[in-house]
Amino acid sequence: MSKIYKHHLFWPLCVLAALLLFNLLYSPDFFSITMHDGHLYGSLIDILNFGAPLMLVAIGMTLVVATKGIDLSVGSIVAISGAIACLTISKGTDQNALGLVTFSILLAVGLSIILGAWNGLLVSVAGIQPIIATLILMVAGRGIAQLVTDGQIITVTSTSYSYIGSGSLATLPFSIFVVAIALVIALLLTRKTSLGLFIESVGCNPTASRMAGIRATVVIFAVYIFCGVCAGVAGLLLSSNVSSADGNNAGLWYELDAILAVVIGGTSLNGGRFYLAGTVIGALIIQTLTTTIYMIGVPPEITLVVKAFVVLAVCLIQSETFRSSIVYRRHKRQDTMKKEVARRVS
Amino acid sequence: MKRFGKMSAVLALTFCMSVLGACANGGNNQTGAASEGSATKAGTTITLGFSQVGAESGWRSANTKSIQDSAKEAGYNLKFSDAQQKQENQIKAIRSFIQQKVDVIAFSPVVESGWDTVLKEAKDAGIPVVLTDRAVDSKDTSLYVTFLGSDFVEEGRKAGKWLSEQYKDTKEDVNIVELQGTTGSAPANDRMAGFAEVIAANPHLKVIASQTGDFTRAKGKEVMQAFLKANKDIDVLYAHNDDMALGAIQAIEAAGLKPGQDIKIISVDAVKDGMQAASEGKINFIVECNPMLGPQLMKIVKDVVDGKSVEPRIVTEETTFTSEQAKEALPNRAY
């Protein structure tokens, strides 16, 4: 029993369950899922579908955070990739042509690789602090996206393109499969190869890792590229969901939601440890919270305050220091050293 | 000796450059003088300095184009400057207009506050200022001649009036959901207030849910999807701009309902994509928010230069579109 309690997913899952339970009590229809034109339809499906881009960005962000880095430019990459894809498709003669859509997707992903590489270059080779290095692209990227779209909203009518973000495969939203693929790739690469260990060791101490024979520069470079690609694909999902690209607003403040998802998932911003499954649950918590706020009709003026309080509560619950300080009021403080050792070992 | 050679080379280079620079300067001066000469010769050419907010939306680009085109048509010398959504750029632009001694300054303020100093400078220089599209909160109204722009409250009222007209004989409750613009922005506040004011007359018209969609398609879709789940019986959607309505239409279609029939949709702006949806019957009523301020602005500029008195508040000429009207108007829409 105490093992479950100590598992890193325990608290994030508790919060998610609490949110869902609240919804169940508030409106019993929340969990009703019906079949509709051959796909499932209901609030839970919406949460999965709208949460998919955030999960994707957050998965990429997790690895960057694990190296003690941070990527603020993901929101801008989301906007650029969506803009490029929609622009390419809107220029084509037959918007439904599979070749054109594939080309535009590859172009957008290729561009996000370049943007990710730019971040990686600044951080690993030029040695600029991650928060500053990625801030450059965060600011410039919005401009690039607006340059691509010419300040306009580009609308596309391609049904093959809109499939990525709003189509469904085997009755589930297609976007969720994209996330699943990204998650499986990330999990396999980091947990079945030594890459995960490398990332964690670089996050703990890059110099020591280099001494131990790990090429820290390459590892850091790679995680920023991966993060860029995740953001780029998320941009495709977002723009395809509404069949349009908005250089100004697409992915605005996404970086903050992504970082929040990573932290809720139990990954420390100090680097050295990361939990991909936790991140996915963190993103789900954020999306569930957003949907809940819309459903229960919180006035828009105080929406952000409500969100802030829930996030505060989540962070406090997660904080071991806070929990033990509460427990301390009732029991004698246990041997914290012992607890710490147990946690590290598990 | 070697060193001296290098030095002399550098010196020679510097000399060459300074001569070249002087030549370039001379050229500039000449063209400057020429243009000045032509202006005085024509005598009546009006110079208008215009500082635009930026190019943040399709609406704004259409606004810019309208002003540039109508200035050309009127034969005015337009000095156009793009502030890229930054107030400091706009203040710089206005100061440079003052230095260039333009006849009239017009601008769309990026934000409402902080204009008193620079407007006072313009007043001291004797240059009249016209505000377009957005207002300033300055207490001293003598700092500008007039404010030309849309009345957002009136737009909300127009939307409300159409709805009241549609449901004037209803005996049942009409459930309305509202997609607001960016929380706290003037268009969002005013469009909500105008709408609420008119529909209050009919107790059957009820706004059952109201949430911000940030003026974007993605948010409009997301919020509408939640509305559809939370409320079983929605009759009317009122969106503060076309983009949110377009997002909501996708959500309504995904729910297996027919936008425009099962749920009546009212929106504001009348941009091209919105008009397209209206002509397909997916939006029932659009209140226009007209970016084509150019012709009206040029008329005001002419009046100001001629010394005629100008109304302190001029509302843009705006219309409304039902689905049928949208279908007719669509081929001729400029934006």
Side-chain angles (χ1 to χ4, degrees), chain A residues 29 36 41-43 46 50 151-153 155 166 241-244 246 248-249 287 290 293-295 298 300-301 303, chain B residues 55-58 61 180 183 210-212 216-219 221-223 225-226 229-230 232 243 250 254-256 273:
Chain A
D29 286 351
H36 215 301
Y41 178 84
S43 295
D46 280 357
F50 280 115
Q152 312 272 356
I153 295 173
T155 309
S166 50
N241 187 275
V242 286
S243 293
S244 64
D246 182 347
N248 239 338
N249 294 307
Q287 189 59 42
T290 313
I293 284 175
Y294 294 152
M295 298 269 284
V298 176
E301 294 82 11
T303 302
Chain B
E56 78 277 17
S57 65
S61 319
Q180 302 176 19
T183 309
S210 181
Q211 186 60 252
T212 178
T216 65
R217 268 181 223 194
K219 276 278 170 202
K221 182 173 182 178
E222 195 178 342
V223 175
Q225 216 141 33
K229 305 282 162 25
K232 284 286 156 292
D243 283 315
Q250 294 182 352
D273 287 341

Side-chain angles (χ1 to χ4, degrees), chain A residues 48-50 52-53 163-167 172-180 237:
Chain A
L48 284 180
N49 195 9
F50 280 115
Y163 180 79
I164 313 170
S166 50
L172 284 169
F174 179 72
S175 52
I176 207 68
F177 291 97
V178 177
V179 176
L237 291 183

